[in-house]
């Protein structure tokens, strides 16, 4: 990853952590995807951004794309579970949460 992309990711993650400039972050991530359609991190962060906007179906779409690119990544699977839960698909959410626990037992994933 080049230095400008690293700075962009840092700016996006900081904005999302502070729950501010979400639309600006989405635009930056969209521009990253224009250059690299296989950017797992951008899809994952877009999912998080849309989650903050309570657009759970859109968030789920981005989490699923991230999972296609990087299967069995605990944080991505956990995020898919959160989206399923918000979309009231509780059994699916439970299955995804169980799967993320099987992938890793790192408690930081679940905070």
């Amino acid at each position: 990853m080049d230095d400008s992309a690293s700075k962009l990711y840092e700016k996006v993650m900081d904005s999302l952590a502070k729950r501010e400039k979400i639309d600006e972050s989405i635009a930056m991530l969209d521009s990253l995807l224009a250059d690299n359609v296989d950017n797992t991190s951008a899809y994952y962060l877009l999912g998080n951004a849309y989650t903050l906007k309570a657009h759970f179906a859109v968030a789920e779409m981005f989490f699923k794309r991230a999972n296609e690119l990087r299967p069995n990544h605990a944080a991505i699977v956990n995020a898919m579970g959160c989206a399923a839960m918000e979309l009231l698909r509780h059994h699916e959410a439970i299955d995804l949460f169980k799967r993320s626990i099987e992938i890793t037992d790192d408690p930081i994933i679940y905070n």
Side-chain angles (χ1 to χ4, degrees):
M1 181 182 325
D2 67 25
D3 193 44
S4 63
S6 286
K7 288 179 182 178
L8 187 96
Y9 277 120
E10 188 175 309
K11 183 176 180 178
V12 166
M13 288 188 289
D14 184 56
S15 291
L16 295 179
K18 293 178 181 176
R19 299 175 186 265
E20 56 187 35
K21 299 181 182 177
I22 296 169
D23 290 327
E24 182 180 317
S25 295
I26 289 170
M28 287 187 282
L29 291 165
D30 284 339
S31 72
L32 274 176
L33 286 173
D35 294 332
N36 179 3
V37 296
D38 292 332
N39 188 322
T40 306
S41 297
Y43 288 110
Y44 177 72
L45 289 172
L46 276 166
N48 284 308
Y50 280 102
T51 296
L52 291 173
K53 292 175 64 88
H55 296 180
F56 302 112
V58 177
E60 180 182 48
M61 177 187 71
F62 286 114
F63 292 139
K64 285 182 175 182
R65 179 64 180 134
N67 188 61
E68 290 171 6
L69 294 169
R70 191 166 179 196
N72 297 318
H73 186 280
I76 294 170
V77 174
N78 189 66
M80 289 169 44
C82 291
M85 182 180 62
E86 294 292 349
L87 294 167
L88 305 178
R89 297 194 320 260
H90 299 120
H91 293 291
E92 180 183 347
I94 290 168
D95 290 342
L96 288 162
F97 293 142
K98 286 179 181 178
R99 189 170 133 215
S100 69
I101 290 168
E102 290 169 1
I103 295 167
T104 183
D105 59 1
D106 184 354
I108 195 109
I109 300 287
Y110 313 108
N111 291 333

